[in-house]
Amino acid sequence: MTAHTVHEVYNGIGTDSIIRFKGKKYFVNWIEDYDEKGSLSKFSMWKPLGYLEFFEKDVIHDRKFQQTHGLRDTLEYRALKGNKVQLNGVVYSIKGTDKDRLYLGRSSEKEKLYVLEFEK
């Protein structure tokens, strides 16, 4: 998931996903789902009337669609030393953990929160 900070009084609409993390409120605007093998299975992006969902059977594996939306067919995860992880070649700092989630950030994108959620 990718989320960005919103003002505390932002309520949104019923279809919005809001995450609270370390005293801040984040609005989820991007969700990528991968299966147990790390292959992309679903992609959702927020639009004013809710989330648009695209599934494997739809267009998510079309190269032009992936280039337009910055998607990759697979998710490559690697734990690094300290509190760092690498996802598809990009290094993130672990900002916190909660059950099956890693909360990640990048120093160049202070208003964004990345959430990596693992299924048991």
Side-chain angles (χ1 to χ4, degrees):
M1 288 181 260
T2 303
H4 63 274
T5 56
V6 291
H7 194 276
E8 190 58 36
V9 297
Y10 176 80
N11 289 325
I13 59 176
T15 58
D16 291 350
S17 288
I18 303 292
I19 295 173
R20 291 187 176 278
F21 179 71
K22 291 190 175 180
K24 289 187 179 180
K25 198 174 196 180
Y26 293 88
F27 173 78
V28 176
N29 56 337
W30 190 271
I31 303 167
E32 296 173 27
D33 289 332
Y34 293 85
D35 63 18
E36 63 279 350
K37 296 178 186 174
S39 296
L40 184 63
S41 60
K42 182 175 132 186
F43 162 67
S44 305
M45 69 175 126
W46 184 87
K47 292 293 182 186
L49 296 176
Y51 291 88
L52 286 179
E53 293 183 333
F54 300 93
F55 295 88
E56 183 177 4
K57 66 182 186 307
D58 296 328
V59 295
I60 63 171
H61 291 292
D62 178 78
R63 293 288 171 223
K64 190 171 186 175
F65 184 85
Q66 286 185 354
Q67 288 173 343
T68 300
H69 298 291
L71 295 172
R72 300 201 38 188
D73 270 337
T74 58
L75 177 66
E76 297 172 9
Y77 171 86
R78 192 172 92 178
L80 302 175
K81 290 183 180 180
N83 69 338
K84 307 269 188 207
V85 297
Q86 187 176 30
L87 300 174
N88 291 340
V90 179
V91 176
Y92 298 87
S93 296
I94 299 173
K95 301 219 173 257
T97 60
D98 180 30
K99 297 180 184 172
D100 299 330
R101 286 184 172 182
L102 286 179
Y103 296 94
L104 310 170
R106 297 183 68 202
S107 59
S108 61
E109 300 174 320
K110 296 198 184 301
E111 295 298 313
K112 285 189 178 178
L113 179 68
Y114 297 90
V115 181
L116 188 59
E117 188 172 71
F118 298 92
E119 287 189 17
K120 287 185 177 182

